[in-house]
Amino acid sequence: MDKDEIHLRRLPAAAPWGPHADSEFHGVDFLPEDLNVAPEETGMRVNKKYSCLPAEEKGIHIINIRAIEDIGYDQHESTLLNSLSKNPDADCKYGLYFRDGKRKVDYILVYHYKKSSAGRTLTRRVHHNDSSARSTKQDQPLPGKGVQLEMGESEPHVDYHEDDKRFRREEYEGNLVEAGLELERDEDTKIHGVGFVKIHAPWNVLCREAEFLKLKMPTKKMYQINQTHGLLKKINSVIQKITEPIQPKVAEHKPQTVKRLSYPFSREKQHLFDLSDRDSFFDSKTRSTIVYEILKRTTCTKAKYSMGKGEGRKKETTLLNKRRKCGKYGITSLLANGVYSAAYPLHDGDYEGENVEPNDRKLLCEEWASYGVFYKYQPIDLVRKYFGEKIGLYFAWLGVYTQMLIPASIVGIIVFLYGCATVDENIPSMEMCDQRNNITMCPLCDRTCSYWKMSSACATARASHLFDNPATVFFSVFMALWAATFMEHWKRKQMRLNYRWDLTGFEEEEDHPRAEYEAKVLEKSLRKEHKHKETDKEKLTWKDRFPAYLTNFVGIIFMVGLTFAIVFGVIIYRISTAAALAISSTPSGRSSVRVTVTATAVIINLVVIIILDEVYGCIARWLTQIEVPKTDKNFEERLIFKAFLLKFVNAYTPIFYVAFFKGRFVGRPGDYVYIFHSFRMEECAPGGCLMELCIQLSIIMLGKQLIQNNLFEIGIPKMKKFIRYMKLKRRRSLDHEEHMKKKQRYEVDYNLEPFAGLTPEYMEMIIQFGFVTLFVASFPLAPLFALLNNIIEIRLDAKKFVTELRRPVAVRAKDIGIWYNILRGIGKLAVIINAFVISFTSDFIPRLVYLYMYSENGTMHGFVNHTLSSFNVSDFQAGTAPNDPMDLGYEVQICRYKDYREPPWSENKYDISKDFWAVLAARLAFVIVFQNLVMFMSDFVDWIIPDIPKDISQQIHKEKVLMVEVFMREEQGKLQMLETWKDNDKRKGENCNNHSPRLSRSHSGSLSSCHSYPLDV
């Protein structure tokens, strides 16, 4: 006993606890609470007393209580006494195993505790060899209450809130043990005031829960995967050889020729599965999922522990009884109430270092979460094995999206190069740059702006042709079909992954209610019970949620209005800044007014968008929380919808303004439209608003990606890591010896950032998908910049998941959920928006109308003059004419402006001309034809490409047939065995009847054995 470390536990004297409440235990007497008790005396008491004491008569110390029937180890050696070797941390692989070095840690619960100042030691480790054991403080008891105070001892000050948490933990952990889990507590950590509960799921619990969850597990039966033949086989082999350098070096990524038949796990059919290695049959991801399901399902009904007296005690007891009747507290509730501060599965080990054992985390870090392997495919199967199907599907979708951006980027570059190659042949821009035309334009603002030459906008006109040319129409059609092809390609890829990951028959079941929902139902039940009403099967109705719905509606309308107000404020800034810069006397200053105003306004928009993105994310979460959805899935879907709506409006409102509203409601010279009677609405440049739309889109898209990726996803985590490092360095200087010891795995993981879900990752990519598809007609290079961003984004997210986040709980999923519907909606909306951009924002339709209706020689010569109307400067309103009419060196009588209106010498001067209606009709006709044609082509692509690949459907059918064959053979084997047993029984019966009476009497034992044979069977 002098080399053993005894774990002492106390069972409550008043209330028998756990599955052993009525059983007999080997116990010990009360130990003295004095911390200075000699180890020899304590050891004597432990050895001396092993009598079985009834739990009703006195409190009993239990040594490391567990659900003994679930363990399978020798009770006296493994259950009652935990012996530590000379290096316990090495034996348990620094926190990956229990202290016995055999049972793996599947899950961790973390809690904060306060030490009692009155020496109310709850339990204590007894050391007999300090040199062989780690210097420790006392473990808290897993089940049971604290030690009662002795008679006559003054009652110390008690923190009732902490006592309440402690008693909830004790009851909850007791219920976990009843469910079959094994627990071990550790408060001897380097993190002051933080305790850890290690959870291990034994084999029979894993089998039971795997059967409940209908987990598909590989059987012994293996079958050949159908291989391609002939020409396709040769093509596939060539492709494999070409792509071999960019394949990750992991076993899971190699092409498979055989596959194990999978079947939902059943304890009755364990013979079907390969159970030769039980330790690896359920991998760490599956084990943590099973434990998390038990944690969610296990409840704690104890709501309040009170040590008060009198009336207060009665009230609290009444509240306790009501809550026990109405409310239950699972792990989500306990986390929300602060009973536990964290709950997470452990990473497989370290990912860097010299003597690190090989593990999946290290392999992922080398072959996936490294910028040096950006050119390689992702090891999706290994990602799924480590993080689960839901995260695996996200990275698979991101990989497919990034691959599909490659052809879109190539076509976009070709379109851009075509514009560069034809810019010198573009007749309208040549006419605008030709100074011989001597076209005098009307002032851009009142009084301070003067007349200007159209040739001064030559650079803008030439730049507009790079993005506003006939090839952009083709690119818009291409991108619409690309979006449809991408969606179909992803559906096929998703089905392949479902087949490989054995998710073909998986159906999501209804999730457990959320903690907040249960709390609301509890409040409602208490109110009804107070009014003496029936409270069975309470749930929240739309009447209960109506205030939250109203708040949601008003809040979203307010946020959308706020976004519009900010965009309007930027418009005022653009107008006032343009007027201020126009006063500049330098010609260079006046020529760069439009570029300066546009660039600064877009930067302001970018900063506002990034700030509001974070604000709207928090507001969307708050609005969803007050709505109190029942399950986590409902919560996530409602949060995604609100966050997407707000962020979509926030990101695209400035772009929509430039594309469809700027320059549409300016009026005309002599009759301009004013804001607040002083600010004149801004106009588009002579080359059109498409160039400004391109600038707006490119700066917002690139700036949003660069700032959010570099600052938020790289900078902030590194800053937090640096702060933690500085704190640790400061502590090491205070306690050098303690911090020189290697941390346990669960301590290291506790210092990592908690996993916050995939919503921010998906949201970032969905907004980017909108930039790529919605306004692609104005910015053909958008797919290229998205591709470059995503190459970095994949490795950045991978590094974050592997090295900077706690390991998330693996969640089974067969698709990407609501995000797929959002993607389809954006794809449909992109067709409509691009149709309007081409017809109304660009000059493509006016050029076609001029070419086929008004051109005298079938060319574009004279197009610029055709789009400009004339204005007599004598018709200016009083106080709006330029202050310096002679700024160009000559007197101006007629100035030009871009519009289709009657000239001043016409009878109906300045009215809308017939050319305007002809162009408008052509624009609307183009929108209708383009939209319907592209929609039809997209639906045709959707129809012609099957959702399920043919080979996968054949494999799924083959699996079903093989499974039926396996069961039929099993039944036939059982029938043959039964017939054999019957035949043997019949023969033995005949042999016994043929014996002589004397022989029969002498062999009565043999005869009886003959008749007892069927019973033995």
Side-chain angles (χ1 to χ4, degrees):
M1 290 298 294
D2 56 344
K3 292 185 178 180
D4 290 341
E5 179 181 353
I6 313 297
H7 289 259
L8 303 179
R9 299 289 182 260
R10 173 175 293 281
L11 190 69
W17 166 87
H20 309 286
D22 299 325
S23 304
E24 293 181 344
F25 294 104
H26 294 291
V28 294
D29 275 337
F30 279 68
L31 295 183
E33 294 300 321
D34 187 5
L35 295 177
N36 298 321
V37 173
E40 293 80 9
E41 183 184 349
T42 309
M44 256 172 44
R45 293 199 183 191
V46 173
N47 286 321
K48 180 180 178 182
K49 193 70 175 176
Y50 276 92
S51 62
C52 301
L53 302 175
E56 299 84 4
E57 294 180 5
K58 63 186 302 182
I60 301 174
H61 279 287
I62 303 302
I63 304 177
N64 216 358
I65 296 176
R66 295 184 194 89
I68 297 174
E69 71 276 10
D70 292 337
I71 293 178
Y73 300 116
D74 182 75
Q75 181 180 1
H76 294 284
E77 293 181 4
S78 300
T79 306
L80 295 182
L81 301 179
N82 269 342
S83 299
L84 297 180
S85 64
K86 292 185 178 180
N87 190 358
D89 289 345
D91 284 350
C92 66
K93 295 187 179 180
Y94 296 97
L96 289 174
Y97 289 81
F98 276 22
R99 294 189 187 93
D100 56 14
K102 298 177 181 178
R103 290 167 293 167
K104 189 173 182 180
V105 176
D106 299 320
Y107 217 86
I108 291 291
L109 299 179
V110 187
Y111 61 92
H112 291 274
Y113 67 92
K114 292 182 181 179
K115 293 188 176 180
S116 177
S117 59
R120 298 174 66 246
T121 310
L122 299 174
T123 56
R124 180 162 59 253
R125 287 188 199 169
V126 182
H127 295 281
H128 300 285
N129 189 352
D130 292 340
S131 62
S132 66
R134 191 176 173 186
S135 175
T136 60
K137 297 169 188 175
Q138 180 49 45
D139 281 351
Q140 295 289 340
L142 287 174
K145 300 181 182 179
V147 177
Q148 298 173 356
L149 295 174
E150 295 182 4
M151 293 294 294
E153 183 181 352
S154 59
E155 183 174 338
H157 174 71
V158 179
D159 187 341
Y160 294 109
H161 187 62
E162 290 299 320
D163 261 12
D164 182 32
K165 290 183 179 180
R166 179 168 60 83
F167 272 79
R168 288 197 203 181
R169 284 197 297 268
E170 288 171 359
E171 182 186 1
Y172 183 69
E173 289 162 9
N175 293 339
L176 292 180
V177 175
E178 287 187 18
L181 298 178
E182 298 175 11
L183 311 181
E184 187 177 77
R185 191 187 295 274
D186 184 13
E187 289 182 0
D188 175 32
T189 64
K190 298 176 184 178
I191 308 173
H192 181 69
V194 175
F196 297 88
V197 178
K198 294 174 277 187
I199 303 177
H200 168 76
W203 170 255
N204 63 329
V205 174
L206 293 173
C207 294
R208 182 190 71 204
E209 296 298 323
E211 186 173 349
F212 290 167
L213 296 174
K214 301 176 183 177
L215 295 180
K216 273 192 171 183
M217 303 303 294
T219 63
K220 298 176 184 177
K221 176 70 176 178
M222 301 182 73
Y223 67 95
Q224 194 80 18
I225 297 177
N226 294 339
Q227 301 293 321
T228 54
H229 301 284
L231 181 62
L232 286 176
K233 184 177 182 180
K234 293 181 180 179
I235 294 174
N236 287 337
S237 62
V238 171
I239 292 175
Q240 285 180 6
K241 289 180 180 178
I242 294 174
T243 60
E244 187 175 357
I246 60 175
Q247 300 290 345
K249 298 177 183 178
V250 296
E252 286 80 0
H253 201 76
K254 294 179 181 178
Q256 297 177 343
T257 56
V258 294
K259 185 178 184 293
R260 286 189 179 274
L261 194 63
S262 295
Y263 185 74
F265 188 83
S266 172
R267 288 173 289 182
E268 295 180 355
K269 300 184 182 299
Q270 287 192 28
H271 57 276
L272 295 177
F273 304 94
D274 184 11
L275 303 179
S276 56
D277 186 5
R278 290 189 173 188
D279 292 336
S280 62
F281 183 74
F282 294 107
D283 56 16
S284 59
K285 176 256 302 182
T286 307
R287 295 175 71 98
S288 63
T289 303
I290 287 174
V291 173
Y292 183 64
E293 287 297 322
I294 297 175
L295 292 175
K296 286 198 298 183
R297 189 178 67 232
T298 305
T299 57
C300 166
T301 56
K302 187 172 294 184
K304 179 72 178 176
Y305 171 71
S306 174
M307 296 184 70
K309 299 178 181 179
E311 194 65 29
R313 177 70 177 264
K314 292 179 181 178
K315 290 180 179 179
E316 288 168 354
T317 305
T318 306
L319 178 60
L320 169 60
N321 293 332
K322 289 181 179 180
R323 291 199 177 184
R324 279 181 170 169
K325 181 179 178 182
C326 305
K328 295 181 179 180
Y329 297 83
I331 187 61
T332 52
S333 302
L334 296 174
L335 286 170
N337 294 331
V339 177
Y340 291 102
S341 57
Y344 52 88
L346 292 180
H347 280 292
D348 278 358
D350 292 325
Y351 60 89
E352 58 184 359
E354 297 179 357
N355 300 321
V356 176
E357 294 184 4
N359 58 71
D360 288 343
R361 188 188 188 194
K362 187 174 186 293
L363 188 59
L364 282 172
C365 189
E366 293 172 351
E367 294 295 329
W368 182 51
S370 173
Y371 295 110
V373 294
F374 72 92
Y375 59 92
K376 289 187 176 183
Y377 285 101
Q378 299 182 84
I380 292 298
D381 291 324
L382 185 59
V383 174
R384 173 252 178 181
K385 178 185 174 185
Y386 193 78
F387 291 110
E389 287 79 6
K390 192 171 185 178
I391 293 176
L393 281 173
Y394 163 71
F395 282 103
W397 173 82
L398 185 56
V400 170
Y401 173 45
T402 304
Q403 288 176 9
M404 289 294 293
L405 283 172
I406 295 175
S409 302
I410 294 172
V411 176
I413 292 172
I414 293 173
V415 170
F416 179 74
L417 293 177
Y418 171 81
C420 295
T422 58
V423 66
D424 292 330
E425 302 172 4
N426 183 38
I427 296 175
S429 61
M430 292 171 61
E431 287 184 349
M432 289 182 65
C433 295
D434 191 358
Q435 297 185 2
R436 294 173 296 176
N437 289 336
N438 198 27
I439 298 177
T440 304
M441 302 297 293
C442 294
L444 295 174
C445 60
D446 294 342
R447 296 188 300 277
T448 56
C449 300
S450 185
Y451 306 105
W452 55 286
K453 292 281 190 181
M454 173 170 274
S455 57
S456 63
C458 175
T460 306
R462 290 173 64 86
S464 295
H465 179 72
L466 301 178
F467 306 100
D468 188 5
N469 56 69
T472 56
V473 179
F474 158 76
F475 190 55
S476 299
V477 177
F478 170 81
M479 287 304 294
L481 298 179
W482 172 87
T485 307
F486 163 60
M487 300 303 296
E488 290 303 309
H489 179 43
W490 166 244
K491 279 197 290 188
R492 290 169 64 84
K493 177 71 174 179
Q494 194 169 253
M495 283 305 304
R496 288 187 181 277
L497 293 176
N498 285 340
Y499 165 71
R500 261 168 38 200
W501 296 349
D502 299 321
L503 294 170
T504 48
F506 170 69
E507 294 294 336
E508 291 186 7
E509 298 179 356
E510 187 176 357
D511 203 357
H512 297 280
R514 296 173 62 249
E516 292 80 359
Y517 180 85
E518 289 182 336
K520 283 290 183 183
V521 172
L522 172 62
E523 290 180 9
K524 184 178 179 181
S525 301
L526 291 176
R527 285 198 303 268
K528 284 198 171 184
E529 189 169 324
H530 182 68
K531 297 177 181 178
H532 305 289
K533 293 183 179 180
E534 191 65 31
T535 59
D536 292 338
K537 295 182 181 180
E538 282 296 335
K539 63 179 182 178
L540 298 183
T541 62
W542 69 269
K543 293 181 180 179
D544 300 319
R545 291 193 173 105
F546 180 75
Y549 289 152
L550 184 62
T551 306
N552 270 260
F553 177 76
V554 174
I556 291 174
I557 295 297
F558 175 77
M559 292 302 144
V560 172
L562 177 64
T563 304
F564 289 162
I566 291 173
V567 171
F568 184 73
V570 175
I571 295 171
I572 299 297
Y573 162 80
R574 292 163 69 112
I575 295 171
S576 58
T577 305
L581 292 176
I583 304 175
S584 174
S585 57
T586 59
S588 60
R590 286 196 296 268
S591 62
S592 61
V593 167
R594 192 178 297 275
V595 176
T596 304
V597 170
T598 301
T600 55
V602 172
I603 291 173
I604 293 173
N605 274 328
L606 173 62
V607 174
V608 170
I609 286 172
I610 292 174
I611 294 173
L612 287 183
D613 253 1
E614 301 301 315
V615 174
Y616 285 169
C618 297
I619 291 175
R621 180 169 291 276
W622 176 75
L623 290 175
T624 310
Q625 285 174 347
I626 65 173
E627 208 173 333
V628 198
K630 183 176 182 180
T631 63
D632 286 330
K633 184 179 180 181
N634 291 340
F635 180 87
E636 186 180 22
E637 289 180 350
R638 296 186 186 194
L639 173 61
I640 288 170
F641 175 75
K642 293 180 183 65
F644 174 74
L645 178 62
L646 292 174
K647 293 188 176 186
F648 182 89
V649 172
N650 180 42
Y652 296 115
T653 299
I655 301 172
F656 269 93
Y657 163 72
V658 175
F660 302 121
F661 296 98
K662 184 178 179 181
R664 309 290 173 197
F665 311 102
V666 295
R668 60 170 180 83
D671 189 21
Y672 283 116
V673 177
Y674 291 91
I675 303 175
F676 304 134
H677 303 288
S678 56
F679 296 107
R680 202 175 94 187
M681 291 293 292
E682 54 182 347
E683 305 175 41
C684 289
C689 276
L690 199 68
M691 186 60 199
E692 291 188 42
L693 178 61
C694 174
I695 295 173
Q696 185 100 7
L697 185 64
S698 59
I699 292 179
I700 289 178
M701 179 181 175
L702 297 178
K704 198 170 184 296
Q705 290 180 349
L706 290 175
I707 292 175
Q708 284 190 335
N709 286 352
N710 293 324
L711 180 61
F712 293 161
E713 295 195 24
I714 298 178
I716 292 179
K718 286 190 177 297
M719 184 175 67
K720 290 181 178 178
K721 194 174 182 181
F722 177 74
I723 292 172
R724 286 197 299 267
Y725 170 76
M726 293 303 294
K727 288 181 179 179
L728 182 62
K729 192 174 180 182
R730 210 176 302 122
R731 288 177 184 173
R732 280 178 180 173
S733 61
L734 299 175
D735 193 355
H736 180 72
E737 292 184 3
E738 180 69 17
H739 287 279
M740 284 300 290
K741 297 176 184 176
K742 186 174 181 180
K743 278 188 175 182
Q744 302 289 323
R745 176 80 262 152
Y746 44 85
E747 294 179 66
V748 177
D749 288 2
Y750 179 68
N751 289 326
L752 298 176
E753 291 293 315
F755 175 63
L758 289 171
T759 300
E761 314 299 335
Y762 272 116
M763 189 68 69
E764 183 182 347
M765 290 296 104
I766 296 296
I767 296 295
Q768 184 203 82
F769 182 77
F771 283 126
V772 169
T773 55
L774 292 180
F775 297 94
V776 74
S778 64
F779 190 39
L781 295 180
L784 174 64
F785 289 114
L787 173 64
L788 297 176
N789 173 79
N790 287 4
I791 291 174
I792 301 172
E793 179 73 20
I794 289 176
R795 307 303 164 180
L796 179 67
D797 284 347
K799 197 172 185 67
K800 181 171 67 176
F801 272 83
V802 173
T803 65
E804 296 177 0
L805 294 179
R806 293 176 192 160
R807 188 174 183 177
V809 179
V811 178
R812 287 189 299 168
K814 62 188 301 183
D815 52 41
I816 60 175
I818 192 175
W819 297 109
Y820 182 80
N821 297 328
I822 293 176
L823 285 169
R824 284 188 65 87
I826 291 177
K828 300 293 184 183
L829 184 63
V831 176
I832 301 172
I833 289 179
N834 280 304
F836 277 93
V837 168
I838 293 170
S839 60
F840 285 91
T841 308
S842 73
D843 284 338
F844 177 73
I845 299 302
R847 288 172 186 170
L848 286 181
V849 171
Y850 177 79
L851 186 64
Y852 293 106
M853 291 183 62
Y854 300 104
S855 178
E856 297 176 355
N857 51 9
T859 64
M860 292 301 295
H861 287 287
F863 170 73
V864 174
N865 188 58
H866 176 74
T867 59
L868 297 177
S869 300
S870 301
F871 177 74
N872 193 330
V873 298
S874 61
D875 294 332
F876 271 121
Q877 290 182 354
T880 60
N883 295 333
D884 187 9
M886 301 294 292
D887 185 57
L888 296 177
Y890 56 89
E891 185 179 359
V892 177
Q893 294 182 347
I894 299 293
C895 66
R896 310 294 296 275
Y897 60 99
K898 191 170 183 178
D899 205 350
Y900 291 100
R901 291 182 179 271
E902 297 290 344
W905 50 84
S906 172
E907 294 182 0
N908 303 315
K909 64 178 183 177
Y910 306 134
D911 286 349
I912 299 295
S913 65
K914 294 180 181 179
D915 299 342
F916 171 84
W917 300 112
V919 171
L920 179 62
R923 282 174 164 163
L924 294 176
F926 175 83
V927 169
I928 295 172
V929 172
F930 181 90
Q931 175 184 335
N932 287 280
L933 178 63
V934 175
M935 287 284 191
F936 170 77
M937 295 171 68
S938 299
D939 291 340
F940 179 75
V941 169
D942 191 356
W943 172 76
I944 202 172
I945 301 177
D947 293 346
I948 304 177
K950 187 177 180 181
D951 59 325
I952 296 299
S953 61
Q954 290 175 350
Q955 298 290 358
I956 293 173
H957 179 71
K958 185 177 181 179
E959 276 196 355
K960 292 179 180 178
V961 173
L962 287 173
M963 206 69 240
V964 172
E965 289 180 2
V966 168
F967 286 120
M968 290 299 295
R969 287 176 184 174
E970 186 180 355
E971 291 297 322
Q972 290 174 1
K974 289 179 180 179
L975 289 175
Q976 290 176 359
M977 188 178 296
L978 188 61
E979 289 176 359
T980 304
W981 285 348
K982 287 181 178 180
D983 291 341
N984 292 337
D985 181 48
K986 188 181 294 184
R987 291 196 195 107
K988 288 192 177 185
E990 291 175 356
N991 292 336
C992 293
N993 291 332
N994 291 333
H995 285 313
S996 62
R998 180 178 56 82
L999 193 62
S1000 298
R1001 284 193 298 271
S1002 64
H1003 292 85
S1004 59
S1006 300
L1007 187 61
S1008 62
S1009 67
C1010 289
H1011 291 290
S1012 65
Y1013 178 76
L1015 297 176
D1016 293 338
V1017 175

